[in-house]
Amino acid sequence: MRITKLVGTALAVAVASAIALTGCGGESKQTVRVSHTQIESHPDHIGLLAFEKAVESKLGDKYDVQIFPNGTLGANEKVLELIKQGSVQFLVVSTANIESFDKLYSLFSIPYLFTSEPAFEKFISDPKVMEQLSVNSKANGFTPVAAFTAGTRNFYSKTPIRSVADLSGKKFRVQAGPTNVAMMTAFGAAATPMSFGEVYSALQQSVIDGAENNELALTDQKHGEVTKFYTYDMHQMCPDLLVGSEKFLEGLPAEDRQVFLDAAQEAQKAEFAAWHKRIEEAKKQAADMGVEFIQVDVNEFRNKVLPLHQQLLSETPELKPLYDAATAANQG
Ligand code: GCU
């Protein structure tokens, strides 16, 4: 499975590279590959279609933007390497997946950082925040150009979670990243980091008791087929970032780079709109799959992990300015 996937990835990139810089009648266009792990009805994909349209409406004679959904170019960890090399130009990736490259992204893994989705959306739409997140881009080899909302992450499991005590001793899949492990330990549960694409079979085979994500994981990834209890504990809001390869962006003429950056803003607007519509549909769809949605005392969950805020800030003091800005966004 793993080998097939790697070979598939190598092939996809080789084929894509072979068709890059080719075109009809001697014209040459540069292929711009955009990778993500979601299905084509997902808001991330809809945002990327707006990105493609915005770039090609201005520079369609020079660039052919190609979107690769469903992780066909590989899991995010692998594609990040290709982004750094410049053979893939853009990737949509959750901030949790890149905190091992740059601690600044761990900000969003701090549980209960935001008090509402509007505060979160306001924060991730702020150009100053994106600038602060970009300070290490040269060293990282990638830079965030837009932030997409991914709603609120909640626990879902094979048995109902109605209080913190129900998490005790259970194994939950989390996204890779040390902050998630710290969070699960604080909740009294065990964290099992793994790639998004591996979660369905891990749930099916009971390698894990549950996972945590927004509601689209139940429908789009079909996790609702194998887990029937979804608990609104609201522990995290992590954006999906559209990141660009530094190598690619740095190599562009300034006017072209601006077109890509403007297109990223169009993508964000389209993604936000698609998100709000899709999430309501997904809740109905998941209920039809037999998923029970459970409301809990969110404060009980919050209080359990709140001491992590000071702990994480003292371990990573460079987070403080962004943390303060997030707190200010909560004030409205
Ligand atoms: C969400 C998010 C993805 C992320 C996934 C995960 O679906 O949008 O970017 O990869 O969660 O939990 O891995």
Side-chain angles (χ1 to χ4, degrees):
M1 173 77 182
R2 211 165 253 277
I3 290 172
T4 320
K5 191 150 193 187
L6 275 181
V7 172
T9 302
L11 260 183
V13 173
V15 170
S17 303
I19 58 172
L21 295 170
T22 60
C24 311
E27 302 277 315
S28 75
K29 280 193 197 186
Q30 183 172 1
T31 302
V32 175
R33 286 180 281 280
V34 186
S35 172
H36 72 93
T37 52
Q38 308 286 357
I39 63 173
E40 283 159 77
S41 59
H42 190 281
D44 285 359
H45 189 82
I46 293 165
L48 293 174
L49 291 175
F51 179 74
E52 176 180 1
K53 193 167 158 216
V55 170
E56 292 184 352
S57 68
K58 298 226 170 85
L59 295 174
D61 53 335
K62 289 177 79 175
Y63 303 97
D64 176 16
V65 177
Q66 294 186 6
I67 306 169
F68 294 84
N70 295 309
T72 42
L73 289 186
N76 285 339
E77 295 77 359
K78 164 92 192 156
V79 177
L80 268 171
E81 292 305 319
L82 304 176
I83 285 277
K84 288 202 239 170
Q85 292 160 19
S87 56
V88 173
Q89 289 70 33
F90 292 93
L91 164 70
V92 177
V93 63
S94 174
T95 46
N97 284 171
I98 47 179
E99 66 175 75
S100 56
F101 292 97
D102 186 340
K103 285 258 181 176
L104 283 181
Y105 294 108
S106 67
L107 176 82
F108 296 98
S109 300
I110 297 178
Y112 301 101
L113 177 65
F114 298 101
T115 51
S116 71
E117 284 195 31
F120 166 65
E121 289 179 13
K122 182 172 148 212
F123 183 76
I124 63 173
S125 309
D126 184 345
K128 283 199 267 4
V129 168
M130 295 304 281
E131 229 171 82
Q132 279 173 281
L133 283 174
S134 304
V135 291
N136 304 315
S137 292
K138 281 216 167 26
N140 296 337
F142 59 82
T143 194
V145 293
F148 295 163
T149 177
T152 303
R153 296 182 77 94
N154 297 291
F155 291 115
Y156 51 99
S157 126
K158 298 201 167 208
T159 51
I161 306 297
R162 301 191 192 277
S163 68
V164 174
D166 293 330
L167 292 170
S168 177
K170 301 243 169 68
K171 266 197 228 158
F172 280 84
R173 179 270 174 171
V174 290
Q175 297 192 83
T179 317
N180 281 322
V181 177
M183 174 180 78
M184 294 313 291
T185 308
F187 274 132
T192 308
M194 67 176 75
S195 307
F196 195 34
E198 292 171 351
V199 182
Y200 182 92
S201 57
L203 285 168
Q204 196 181 33
Q205 292 161 21
S206 296
V207 173
I208 48 176
D209 300 297
E212 49 80 54
N213 216 317
N214 59 59
E215 296 89 331
L216 298 190
L218 300 172
T219 54
D220 297 12
Q221 304 297 318
K222 304 193 168 36
H223 297 176
E225 285 178 1
V226 282
T227 33
K228 300 295 182 192
F229 300 99
Y230 188 93
T231 296
Y232 280 112
D233 65 284
M234 322 277 280
H235 58 266
Q236 275 172 345
M237 296 178 206
C238 302
D240 278 346
L241 295 181
L242 175 60
V243 302
S245 158
E246 267 291 291
K247 203 164 173 185
F248 171 70
L249 288 168
E250 286 295 299
L252 289 176
E255 321 81 81
D256 292 11
R257 186 162 54 241
Q258 196 54 48
V259 168
F260 279 95
L261 298 181
D262 293 344
Q265 295 315 302
E266 292 302 313
Q268 185 192 50
K269 279 192 219 124
E271 196 272 346
F272 274 29
W275 182 270
H276 295 122
K277 186 164 173 280
R278 178 71 191 111
I279 208 73
E280 292 311 318
E281 293 165 5
K283 287 183 198 170
K284 292 197 189 85
Q285 221 179 312
D288 289 344
M289 293 166 93
V291 175
E292 183 188 330
F293 288 98
I294 301 170
Q295 303 295 337
V296 287
D297 173 7
V298 172
N299 274 329
E300 193 213 347
F301 286 78
R302 182 188 284 121
N303 292 339
K304 191 79 186 166
V305 294
L306 221 48
L308 271 182
H309 286 219
Q310 285 320 313
Q311 184 191 318
L312 294 169
L313 285 174
S314 62
E315 280 167 15
T316 314
E318 62 268 37
L319 286 182
K320 188 72 167 75
L322 278 163
Y323 179 87
D324 289 343
T327 310
N330 285 335
Q331 315 300 312

